[in-house]
């Protein structure tokens, strides 16, 4: 039968009538209530002609399309049996017969599980499709070896067809401290592919691959996007075929021979998360944020203000050095104090000791108890940095277990460290035991879980599975402990790991100029409450760039905020400004961590503007930042989208200490008066004049319904 799944303005129509593979007839805008006859008519209407020099039957792209079905584009399912026997040939070019379709609809999602079988190849395939209540489409496959010899799995996903009008592509690249830089290109014939072989997402991770109508932007355009919810190697691609078919796919990138199924074994592919939007990129987060927020693993609220010691003291650990920082953290309103790298046995610099997860007695002669007591006495929670998947060659662990080092003995080091092979017998248990012992010995509310190098081995499937298993085991044993995913900054923040953590570290840069972009794009998928955002020193450690307090504070305000700066050594005035900002954060975080994120397409790229609107529509907070030199003498009127069209709002600046530096002789009249009153529709459509700010300044505006 033809199944029509509908949710939140999205329709997915799947032709699963058999006898062959199922095909998506439509994934996109909601089609309304179609009866069976109308769905049949839709299938009829879409049956293509037969072009010259092609297979003799109309080609219809199926979910598992490959050479066996006439698809000579890149298959999302790639299987092999050794040799050239008929069975081996069939396995490389399967053509599945429909066995069964199971549909379940509940409050969470409409689900289809399509069971398929290729008897010639001895392969069973189950395809899961879920159209989640919020309009997100999730899919994955299970491949079963029903043959007599090994079945190699080289790729295990499905192809999602998208319409020809999606003619422009967007994905992301990046570097350490410069993650998620957007890349645009036309979507032409051929395959555009992005592969990650980092064994973690990587700083240059494609993150989200979107195909959309020309010029699609934050607020406008129709687009289809995919993301691989997997924390190891991944491949995402878009292909436009000369057959007039365009596809998107995202999944795990497997190394040759890495997954070999013995007869009777099954392999489950990673989830592909796919999102359709007819409201630009903001429409992607409009679907994904509410879904992520509905997860059982969603972080508890309110999100605490965090003081992290890394850029404050680096490896300079001691009770004497840190007590003033604890006191300054408490004075400025921090709620969690996180002791970063440098606390464990022998870890006096970044060249050694990973794996030796016991407290360094030379630095902490009485253990972590005294610092934790100070932190608790100051009314804060205590958090600790760990990097459990790593091992230093210069460590007791490596000396005891050289066999636990992943990869070739002569493989290059990276940050002077190697990877711990979590699939080696005993290795994951050992790490679990060490972390478990720490969490039992001390009252630790939070672990910052780091991962500071690429694996540099072909095939990270077993390691990634073992990482998930270790995280899951630890979470089950210590359900109250929050975990942050960090990987040299933002090199591992996919939706696979996100299900297991309460926070991510989007980047090692605390430079607000970089963070403005990083937050805008990382938040396409990750709600702001997950994005660790710290106020750093005035001169950013990663870029050397100087930023005023207002720009640093206003940028960090829109995430899971904190401070990473030696505020004990800052001036009393600086601490007072941080204290006032902490109060603003406390006042707004309920809204910021539950509301709708709206990114604003400004006419001048030098102005980055975004806001968060309360679900009730009662209030919103907007940030307007100059991230370059404005093009015009006066900035264009700034639209404030997302408010209730008919309600009237009072718009007022929110102070973060020193006012933003402006370079006009006189401010706009309303700004001078302190308030503008307009209807939501007017604010969205026309907007209001804003002051001409100097580069790298930030203005915060609240809109409150009257
Ligand atoms: C990389 C992280 O991203 C930093 O925040 C910090 O924790 C260092 N590692 C510590 O080694």
């Amino acid at each position: 039968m033809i199944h029509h799944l509908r949710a939140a303005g999205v329709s997915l129509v799947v032709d699963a009538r058999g006898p062959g593979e199922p095909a998506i007839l439509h994934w996109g805008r909601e089609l309304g209530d179609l009866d069976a006859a109308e769905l049949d008519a839709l299938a009829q209407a879409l049956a293509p002609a037969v072009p010259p020099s092609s297979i003799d039957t109309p080609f219809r792209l199926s979910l598992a399309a490959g050479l066996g079905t006439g698809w000579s584009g890149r298959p999302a399912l790639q299987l092999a049996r050794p040799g050239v026997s008929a069975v081996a040939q069939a396995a490389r070019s399967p053509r599945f017969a429909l066995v069964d379709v199971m549909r379940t609809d509940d409050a969470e999602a409409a689900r289809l599980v399509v069971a398929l079988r290729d008897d010639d190849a001895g392969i069973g395939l189950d395809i899961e499709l879920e159209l989640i209540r919020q309009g997100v489409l999730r899919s994955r496959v299970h491949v079963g070896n029903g043959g007599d010899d090994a079945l190699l799995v080289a790729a295990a996903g499905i192809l999602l067809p998208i319409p020809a009008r999606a003619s422009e592509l967007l994905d992301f690249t990046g570097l350490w401290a410069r993650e998620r830089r957007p890349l645009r290109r036309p979507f032409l014939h051929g395959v555009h592919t992005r592969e990650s072989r980092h064994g973690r997402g990587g700083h240059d991770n494609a993150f989200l691959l979107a195909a959309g109508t020309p010029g699609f932007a934050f607020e406008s355009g129709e687009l289809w996007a995919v993301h691989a919810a997997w924390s190891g190697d991944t491949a995402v691609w878009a292909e436009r075929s000369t057959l007039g078919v365009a596809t998107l796919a995202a999944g795990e990138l497997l190394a040759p021979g890495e997954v070999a199924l013995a007869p009777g074994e099954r392999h489950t592919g990673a989830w592909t998360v796919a999102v359709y939007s007819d409201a630009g990129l903001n429409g992607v987060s409009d679907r994904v944020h509410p879904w992520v927020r509905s997860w059982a693993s969603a972080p508890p609220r309110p999100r605490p203000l965090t003081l992290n010691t890394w850029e404050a003291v680096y490896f300079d650990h001691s009770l004497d050095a840190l007590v003033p920082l604890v006191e300054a953290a408490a004075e400025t309103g921090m709620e969690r104090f996180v002791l970063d790298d440098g606390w464990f046995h022998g870890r006096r610099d970044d060249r050694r000791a990973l794996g030796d997860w016991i407290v360094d007695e030379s630095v902490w002669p009485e253990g972590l108890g005294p610092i934790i007591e100070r932190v608790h006495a100051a009314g804060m929670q205590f958090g600790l940095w760990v990097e459990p998947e790593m091992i230093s060659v210069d460590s007791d662990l490596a000396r005891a277990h050289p066999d636990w080092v992943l990869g070739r003995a002569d493989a290059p080091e990276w940050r002077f460290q190697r990877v711990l092979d979590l699939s080696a017998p005993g290795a994951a248990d050992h790490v679990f035991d060490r972390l478990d012992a720490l969490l039992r010995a001390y009252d630790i509310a939070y672990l910052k879980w780091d991962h500071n190098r690429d694996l540099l081995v072909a095939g990270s499937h077993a390691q990634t599975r073992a990482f998930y298993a270790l995280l899951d085991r630890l979470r089950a044993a210590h359900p109250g402990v929050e975990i942050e995913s960090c990987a040299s900054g933002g090199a591992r923040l996919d939706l696979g790991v996100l299900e297991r953590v309460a926070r991510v570290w989007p980047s090692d840069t605390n430079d607000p100029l970089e963070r403005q972009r990083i937050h805008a794009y990382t938040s396409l998928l990750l709600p702001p409450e997950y994005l660790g955002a710290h106020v750093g020193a005035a001169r950013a450690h990663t870029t050397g760039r100087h930023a005023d307090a207002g720009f640093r504070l206003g940028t960090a305000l829109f995430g899971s905020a904190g401070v990473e700066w030696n505020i004990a050594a800052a001036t009393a005035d600086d601490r007072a400004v941080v204290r006032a900002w902490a109060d603003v954060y406390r006042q707004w975080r309920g809204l910021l961590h539950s509301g709708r994120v709206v990114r604003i397409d400004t006419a001048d790229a030098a102005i980055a503007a975004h806001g968060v609107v309360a679900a009730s529509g009662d209030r919103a907070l907007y940030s307007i930042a100059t991230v370059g030199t404005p093009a015009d003498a006066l900035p264009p009127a700034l639209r404030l989208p997302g408010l209730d069209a008919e309600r009237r709002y009072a718009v007022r600046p929110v102070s973060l200490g020193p006012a933003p530096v402006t370079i006009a002789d006189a401010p706009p009249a309303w700004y001078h008066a302190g308030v503008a009153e307009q209807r939501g529709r007017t604010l969205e459509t026309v907007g209001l004049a804003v002051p001409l700010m100097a580069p790298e300044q930030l203005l915060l505006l609240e809109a409150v319904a009257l």
Side-chain angles (χ1 to χ4, degrees):
M1 111 182 230
I2 300 179
H3 289 270
H4 185 191
L5 281 53
R6 298 160 65 191
V10 178
S11 276
L12 178 75
V13 182
V14 182
D15 183 348
R17 291 176 295 182
E21 299 176 0
I24 291 180
L25 298 178
H26 171 76
W27 166 42
R29 192 172 289 152
E30 152 92 78
L31 297 178
D33 195 9
L34 301 179
D35 62 24
E38 287 172 305
L39 291 171
D40 277 345
L42 176 69
Q44 278 288 333
L46 289 176
V50 175
S53 189
S54 82
I55 59 170
D56 296 331
T57 43
F59 173 74
R60 199 186 60 169
L61 185 96
S62 59
L63 290 169
L67 287 170
T69 69
W71 171 247
S72 47
R74 178 168 169 173
L77 185 71
Q78 293 184 46
L79 308 170
R81 292 190 192 282
V84 288
S85 65
V87 180
Q89 299 279 11
R92 286 196 278 271
S93 314
R95 180 170 192 167
F96 293 96
L98 191 87
V99 178
D100 187 30
V101 184
M102 216 174 65
R103 175 162 183 173
T104 48
D105 289 82
D106 58 32
E108 298 304 311
R111 295 187 184 83
L112 281 185
V113 181
V114 185
L116 302 157
R117 199 167 60 212
D118 181 338
D119 288 331
D120 293 342
I123 300 169
L125 178 72
D126 288 346
I127 300 177
E128 279 186 75
L129 293 166
E130 295 185 352
L131 187 61
I132 297 164
R133 181 162 49 93
Q134 292 83 2
V136 175
L137 171 61
R138 248 191 359 161
S139 64
R140 67 175 173 179
V141 305
H142 310 268
V143 180
N145 184 2
D148 299 327
D149 56 2
L151 180 69
L152 303 176
V153 181
I158 60 165
L159 291 173
L160 294 168
I162 56 169
R165 62 184 180 278
S167 59
E168 199 170 293
L169 296 176
L170 165 74
D171 58 17
F172 297 88
T173 185
L175 295 163
W176 173 77
R178 283 175 275 171
E179 294 88 341
R180 274 160 288 291
R181 299 194 152 218
L183 293 173
R184 291 256 179 186
R185 66 190 92 214
F187 186 10
L188 305 175
H189 283 158
V191 180
H192 165 71
T193 186
R194 297 291 309 282
E195 297 181 347
S196 159
R197 286 189 181 73
H198 303 289
R200 55 181 183 169
H203 294 108
D204 62 349
N205 194 249
F207 188 54
L208 186 75
L209 170 61
T213 48
F216 71 90
F218 286 134
E219 296 181 79
S220 66
E222 198 183 12
L223 63 102
W224 292 257
V226 288
H227 165 83
W230 181 252
S231 308
D233 296 343
T234 52
V236 300
W237 72 93
E239 177 164 15
R240 185 179 296 283
S241 146
T242 49
L243 284 172
V245 174
T247 61
L248 289 179
E252 183 179 9
L253 179 68
L254 295 168
E258 181 184 8
V259 174
L261 300 178
E265 278 186 353
R266 238 162 98 93
H267 169 81
T268 296
W271 284 110
T272 300
V273 173
V275 192
Y276 164 74
S277 164
D278 54 5
L281 289 162
N282 286 344
V284 172
S285 38
D286 285 345
R287 299 198 192 289
V288 178
H289 289 184
W291 172 50
V292 170
R293 284 170 172 164
S294 75
W295 294 354
S297 62
R301 319 298 166 95
R303 304 305 302 141
L305 280 158
T306 297
L307 183 297
N308 181 288
T309 60
W310 182 241
E311 287 194 355
V313 298
Y314 293 102
F315 290 102
D316 184 13
H317 284 205
S318 71
L319 194 59
D320 288 348
L322 286 168
V323 163
L325 198 54
V326 172
E327 285 165 1
E331 178 194 334
T332 49
M334 300 298 111
E335 297 158 323
R336 178 178 283 167
F337 186 92
V338 177
L339 188 62
D340 210 284
D341 195 356
W343 59 268
F344 51 97
H345 182 62
R347 184 69 165 178
R348 304 295 359 108
D349 56 27
D350 64 2
R351 303 200 164 202
R352 65 204 89 245
L354 292 166
D356 296 345
W357 304 113
I358 49 174
V359 179
D360 190 302
E361 287 180 357
S362 70
V363 178
W364 301 103
E366 294 169 65
L368 295 177
I371 181 91
I372 294 178
E373 276 162 30
R374 300 284 186 135
V375 168
H376 287 166
M380 294 181 288
Q381 299 175 344
F382 181 78
L384 194 63
W385 178 95
V386 289
E387 195 176 2
E389 300 148 88
M390 295 294 152
I391 182 165
S392 303
V393 172
D394 182 3
S395 67
D396 291 346
L397 187 63
R399 283 182 281 275
H401 283 286
D403 52 317
W404 286 0
V405 177
L406 183 75
R408 302 167 54 105
D410 60 355
E413 291 210 336
W414 178 312
R415 206 193 187 208
F416 315 102
Q417 66 195 55
R418 300 290 303 266
V419 179
L420 181 71
D421 182 355
L422 289 178
S423 58
D429 285 345
H430 170 83
V431 179
F432 173 83
D433 289 345
R434 282 289 155 89
L435 297 178
D436 181 61
L438 275 167
L439 295 174
R440 284 179 197 285
Y442 297 114
D443 185 355
I444 295 172
Y446 160 99
L447 289 179
K448 175 177 174 183
W449 185 300
D450 211 339
H451 184 289
N452 281 306
R453 62 161 286 168
D454 284 8
L455 264 48
L456 298 184
V457 294
S460 60
H461 182 76
Q463 183 76 3
T464 308
R465 283 257 169 258
F467 160 59
Y468 284 164
L470 178 60
L471 267 181
D472 292 346
R473 190 174 168 199
L474 210 68
R475 290 168 61 228
H478 300 277
V481 175
E482 286 184 17
I483 297 176
E484 173 179 271
S485 173
C486 171
S488 320
R492 184 162 70 183
L493 42 67
D494 57 275
L495 292 177
V497 77
L498 200 75
E499 268 191 272
R500 299 170 161 92
V501 299
R503 195 182 200 240
V504 303
W505 186 231
S507 179
D508 267 356
T509 189
N510 292 316
D511 180 336
L513 189 63
E514 299 293 335
R515 281 290 186 133
Q516 282 286 328
R517 183 199 63 252
I518 291 168
H519 292 177
Y521 291 113
T522 309
S523 70
L524 288 176
L525 294 177
L526 278 57
E529 60 271 24
Y530 280 91
L531 306 185
H534 294 171
V535 179
R539 187 172 296 285
H541 290 202
T542 51
T543 60
R545 197 183 276 122
H546 186 281
D548 286 354
F551 192 31
R552 283 147 53 217
L553 297 163
T555 301
L557 188 74
F558 283 80
S560 169
V563 170
E564 191 171 333
W565 160 28
N566 192 352
I567 42 170
T571 64
D573 283 354
D574 278 344
R575 279 199 295 276
V577 168
V578 174
R579 164 102 228 169
W581 163 83
D583 289 341
V584 174
Y585 176 76
R586 262 187 285 276
Q587 185 192 335
W588 284 93
R589 64 183 158 186
L591 181 156
L592 294 173
H593 298 163
S594 65
R596 174 176 174 235
V597 174
V598 286
R599 302 164 200 84
I600 304 172
D601 290 314
T602 54
D604 184 347
I607 298 172
H610 62 94
V612 183
V613 183
S616 64
D618 284 352
R619 291 199 309 163
L621 191 65
Y622 294 94
S623 156
I624 301 103
T626 34
V627 293
T629 307
D632 298 323
L634 290 177
L638 184 86
R639 295 177 307 100
L640 299 180
L643 300 165
D644 272 358
E646 299 303 340
R647 293 169 83 178
R648 284 173 59 78
Y649 291 86
V651 180
R652 289 189 189 84
V654 174
S655 169
L656 287 177
V661 177
T662 58
I663 47 181
D665 288 346
W670 77 266
Y671 186 75
H672 185 66
V675 63
E677 291 183 9
Q678 292 287 350
R679 276 196 200 222
R681 183 182 289 116
T682 316
L683 286 167
E684 169 147 359
T685 312
V686 184
L688 34 77
V690 285
L692 179 64
M693 293 186 289
E696 291 156 39
Q697 299 293 313
L698 187 144
L699 172 66
L700 212 53
L701 295 177
E702 66 170 17
V704 179
L706 293 167

